[in-house]
Each structure stands twice: as structure tokens, then as C-alpha cells.
Amino acid sequence: MPDIQKMLLATGLIKQHCDTFILRAKVTDSEVARAAAHLCLTIVEQFDATNCLIENQMSSHSPIMVRSMLEGMADLYILVDDATHLNQMAYNSARSGAKTYELMATFAEMQNDKLAFASIQAAAALSVMERDRLKKNGFRPQKIEDKLTKAGLGDSYASYLLLCGYSHNDLQTLHVRHSGPHLRYHHEAPPSVTTGMLTIAIRLMTEAVVLLPKFSDIPEEEMIAARVQMDSAWAAALA
């Protein structure tokens, strides 16, 4: 039987180890490096959120966080090897913003508020301009399967689809989470599922932190040694 408490203790210690590097790091002065740092920090924070859900008897919701960590890790892997991916991310953001703001501008409540309507129209115009500029430069919507493959995470696509079921309230996922002789509420996921989520989450967090030398002043040799220590700590927790 997996010892979830032992694993949570290990994840906390590994997170503290990661924090010593994060808090020391001086990020390289470039747009790409800052974007990479932001992705890294978000992944680590989502790891914390995963732990919080498990510690507070809401482990069946932890896959939602892990899914976001996987998406962020794909962007980070690509970005540290290909600076032009920042433009792909900008295109994705502008395209999403344009659709959102243009839709919001159709709401009667928004149109009746002249100040808010003008603000939304301005935001929509900026998003459309940026989207069209990047589209002219060859950027297009990117499928998640293609992004995972480009990041070297193509074998995680099936896992990603499974994690999506938890995010999108898939009927089968709802059944597993809440059905039983009586309706299950705050019911813990099976230990094997929680172990799987923690294992994926710890791998994604450590991978993100190990990339610090690519966009900060943290020496690579320090991270190599730290990775060995963190991997050993997690192996001991699973033993």
C-alpha cells in the first residue's frame, strides 16, 4: 500500500530544495528568459497547489493541476531550445484575447457602459493587430499533441487526454469520483491514482527547476547534483 503521507513529506522537502535555487536565481535580461522563468515559477506553484489538494482530502481534483503543469512544461522545453516559440505563445495569447474581447463587446451590459465598452474595444483592437501581425509571419494555432511532440513529450499525450477528463467534467470521471453505495463527497482518490499524480507532478517540477541554468545564473553543475539528490529522495519515498 502506497504511503501517501511519506510521499507528501518527501515532496515538501524536495520543493524546499527547489526553492533554494529559485530564490537565488538571477534571470538573464531578455524577454525569452523572463518568459521561461515565469513558466518555471508557475509550474512550481502548481506543484504546491497539487500538494494542497491532496493534503486537504481533495486528491481527485489534483489531475487538473497536473494537466496545467504538463502544458507549461511543454512550452518551457520548447522555449529554452527555440526562442521563436515566444512568438508562438504571443500568437496564442493574442488569438485568444481577440476572440474573448470581441465576444465581450457584444454583451448588452458592456455596451451600456461607455467606459467599459471603449476599454474592451481597445483591448480587442490591440489583440487583433498582434494576432494578424504574427499570422503574417507564419504563426498558426498549435495543437496540443503537436506541442507535446515538439517538446519531446509526445508519449505523454494519452496521459494528457486522461487528465483532461478531470478538468472538463467528463461523465465517466464524475462517476468514478462521486458514485458508490452513497454519493461520495470529499472522497479520496485511490492511493494508486494519488501516487501517480504525485509522481508526474514531482517529475515536472524538478524538470522545470533543472532548466534554471538555461535562463538564469544558476550553474548547471549545481543543478545536475541537485537533480540526483531529488530523484533519490523521491525513490526513497516510493520504497
Side-chain angles (χ1 to χ4, degrees), residues 1-22:
M1 174 72 71
D3 189 337
I4 302 301
Q5 291 307 311
K6 182 181 177 182
M7 292 179 202
L8 288 172
L9 178 61
T11 60
L13 293 173
I14 293 170
K15 167 62 166 50
Q16 288 177 18
H17 197 40
C18 288
D19 283 349
T20 64
F21 294 101
I22 290 171

Side-chain angles (χ1 to χ4, degrees), residues 123-191:
L126 286 173
S127 293
V128 168
M129 186 186 306
E130 179 72 350
R131 179 200 65 194
D132 291 349
R133 179 185 72 81
L134 290 163
K135 187 175 181 180
K136 286 180 181 178
N137 289 330
F139 293 95
R140 297 291 186 274
Q142 186 179 43
K143 294 181 180 178
I144 183 63
E145 183 178 6
D146 294 336
K147 180 162 72 172
L148 289 171
T149 299
K150 186 175 182 180
L153 295 169
D155 58 352
S156 299
Y157 183 58
S159 298
Y160 176 83
L161 293 178
L162 182 64
L163 295 170
C164 284
Y166 289 87
S167 301
H168 300 154
N169 292 320
D170 173 80
L171 185 60
Q172 181 62 26
T173 303
L174 291 171
H175 175 77
V176 170
R177 182 183 284 145
H178 297 297
S179 290
H182 304 286
L183 284 176
R184 295 192 295 207
Y185 180 54
H186 285 290
H187 187 79
E188 285 297 275

Side-chain angles (χ1 to χ4, degrees), residues 84-112:
T84 65
H85 186 62
L86 186 63
N87 289 325
Q88 179 65 57
M89 294 174 67
Y91 172 79
N92 295 343
S93 180
R95 179 171 176 266
S96 175
K99 290 176 68 174
T100 301
Y101 295 134
E102 286 175 342
L103 179 61
M104 289 177 67
T106 67
F107 297 163
E109 297 90 341
M110 189 65 68
Q111 293 173 355
N112 291 333

Side-chain angles (χ1 to χ4, degrees), residues 26 53 60 75 89 104 137 153 160 216 229 231 234 238:
K26 182 178 180 181
L53 287 168
S60 70
D75 278 316
M89 294 174 67
M104 289 177 67
N137 289 330
L153 295 169
Y160 176 83
S216 79
Q229 293 177 340
D231 287 349
W234 184 243
L238 292 176

